[in-house]
Amino acid sequence: MTNIEKFKLEEERIKSGVWRLGDSMYRKCQVCNNNLIIQCDYVFRQGVRIWQCGFCQRNLKVKRREHVVYKIAIDADSVVSKSLHRQPDDLEKAYYEFCSSIGVIKGAIFHGMHEYEKGDEVEMKIILTPRTNFRYDIFPDYKNKRPPRSESRIALMKMILERLKPWVEIHKGVEADDVVIYYAKQGWMISAIDKDVINACPTFCYDYNKYVWNQPKSEMQIESWYLMQALMGDSTDCIPGAKGIGEKGAFKIVNEMSWKSFAGIIEYFPSYEDALLSMRLVRMDQWNGKEVILWEPSLEQDII
């Protein structure tokens, strides 16, 4: 029997659980150079297959990776609404319901997204929307069909802000949607349930209604989504859009564009100003972390 045949025979015996071989003295551990008598195995080490004895396997020290801090920004407006819906008569219970939902979102990072190792941490931002924002300034009818905030909602938000202050952010003049998209552009994961946010997110987004992670969207996908949103508008937020164009029509128009740009949708609006207003209302990338800078089309997009 040749050495190659012995090697293959020994490998098969080891795989089948036979550790002590009568003819194993010819083979040595390629780590400590001792004869392979017991508990030998054919293993990967540094990308190469080698023979290794049981002693070396037990004492081989594999350096653990450094602990990781995972960052996630949570659009918590809907979490507040869900908490009040489940506990309408008790603010204290609604607060604990809110905290429980936030805990589920944090835990989702290690269920289907990343593998937890000891020392890993989660840094979170709980984002809430203030009473007003810049969209009311440029379009007074924005969300005018929605009922005003109830006293219980305001009380719960104040309770959350007071007790969870280190993690809560409310930025004057911008909605939670704008803030989480800002964090997403900085590389943070985010959590939201609005399709507007999910389709404009350049990083992973956790839908806490469906309990699923959504894949990052490319720059082209995000721009296409903004164009579609501008065309079809949003009846919930009272954004008019282009007259007579719904979701299917907007999808067809944008999909057929050879160059997806603002210039391609202007013709569907009564005027250039109406098209520009619609784009400014739907875009969530107009806050730079300090101030709102209203979106302006580039020279290429402005060509008619």
Side-chain angles (χ1 to χ4, degrees):
M1 182 182 292
T2 64
N3 280 350
I4 294 177
E5 291 173 333
K6 286 182 179 181
F7 185 88
K8 291 183 178 179
L9 177 62
E10 189 175 358
E11 183 180 356
E12 290 300 318
R13 287 176 176 173
I14 290 171
K15 287 181 180 178
S16 64
V18 179
W19 302 107
R20 189 176 182 87
L21 305 175
D23 57 351
S24 63
M25 298 299 289
Y26 82 96
R27 179 66 60 187
K28 293 182 180 292
C29 173
Q30 292 173 266
V31 178
C32 65
N33 207 38
N34 289 328
N35 291 330
L36 292 172
I37 304 298
I38 57 172
Q39 294 181 336
C40 48
D41 201 1
Y42 190 49
V43 299
F44 266 117
R45 186 179 181 192
Q46 297 180 349
V48 180
R49 279 276 196 181
I50 64 170
W51 285 101
Q52 185 172 313
C53 69
F55 178 81
C56 290
Q57 290 182 58
R58 289 193 300 271
N59 291 278
L60 182 64
K61 294 182 179 179
V62 180
K63 186 179 179 182
R64 184 196 182 280
R65 64 172 173 79
E66 295 294 328
H67 75 275
V68 179
V69 178
Y70 298 102
K71 298 181 178 182
I72 185 167
I74 304 168
D75 181 351
D77 287 339
S78 294
V79 184
V80 172
S81 300
K82 288 174 65 176
S83 302
L84 283 171
H85 178 72
R86 291 174 180 172
Q87 303 291 343
D89 303 321
D90 193 325
L91 274 181
E92 196 69 28
K93 288 183 178 178
Y95 168 76
Y96 286 116
E97 184 77 29
F98 176 88
C99 292
S100 176
S101 299
I102 295 297
V104 169
I105 294 171
K106 286 183 64 179
I109 292 175
F110 302 115
H111 290 82
M113 178 54 62
H114 297 284
E115 183 178 349
Y116 175 80
E117 291 193 26
K118 187 176 180 181
D120 289 348
E121 301 175 16
V122 176
E123 181 182 346
M124 68 171 180
K125 301 286 186 183
I126 300 173
I127 315 298
L128 297 172
T129 297
R131 193 181 293 271
T132 62
N133 63 79
F134 74 93
R135 290 180 177 85
Y136 291 101
D137 297 330
I138 63 175
F139 187 61
D141 289 336
Y142 182 65
K143 292 186 177 180
N144 66 355
K145 293 182 181 179
R146 291 192 179 185
R149 290 181 174 179
S150 64
E151 293 183 5
S152 58
R153 181 183 178 87
I154 295 173
L156 177 58
M157 290 180 70
K158 287 182 178 179
M159 186 183 297
I160 292 168
L161 182 59
E162 179 182 354
R163 298 183 184 182
L164 302 176
K165 193 170 184 179
W167 302 284
V168 178
E169 289 189 8
I170 300 179
H171 294 277
K172 183 178 180 181
V174 289
E175 296 182 80
D177 298 357
D178 303 297
V179 179
V180 295
I181 291 298
Y182 167 78
Y183 277 115
K185 293 176 72 175
Q186 312 308 310
W188 288 50
M189 295 177 286
I190 71 169
S191 182
I193 62 173
D194 294 339
K195 65 178 182 178
D196 306 350
V197 179
I198 294 172
N199 285 308
C201 181
T203 186
F204 287 100
C205 179
Y206 181 69
D207 185 332
Y208 52 81
N209 262 3
K210 299 179 180 179
Y211 307 107
V212 295
W213 284 97
N214 293 278
Q215 294 291 318
K217 302 298 186 292
S218 67
E219 185 177 349
M220 181 176 290
Q221 287 175 314
I222 294 172
E223 288 300 320
S224 297
W225 173 250
Y226 283 144
L227 291 171
M228 284 181 56
Q229 280 285 90
L231 283 167
M232 64 185 179
D234 190 329
S235 58
T236 305
D237 294 342
C238 302
I239 299 174
K243 187 175 181 180
I245 297 178
E247 185 174 358
K248 292 183 178 179
F251 176 81
K252 182 179 180 182
I253 291 170
V254 175
N255 193 48
E256 291 177 352
M257 287 183 183
S258 56
W259 175 259
K260 294 175 174 48
S261 69
F262 174 65
I265 67 170
I266 296 174
E267 63 179 292
Y268 298 97
F269 290 86
S271 66
Y272 175 90
E273 288 72 21
D274 290 322
L276 182 60
L277 174 63
S278 190
M279 281 291 282
R280 287 174 171 174
L281 289 172
V282 300
R283 295 188 74 96
M284 290 173 283
D285 57 353
Q286 303 175 90
W287 187 66
N288 64 5
K290 294 181 180 179
E291 61 180 343
V292 174
I293 300 177
L294 292 178
W295 179 82
E296 291 288 348
S298 64
L299 291 175
E300 293 83 2
Q301 291 175 323
D302 204 19
I303 296 173
I304 302 177

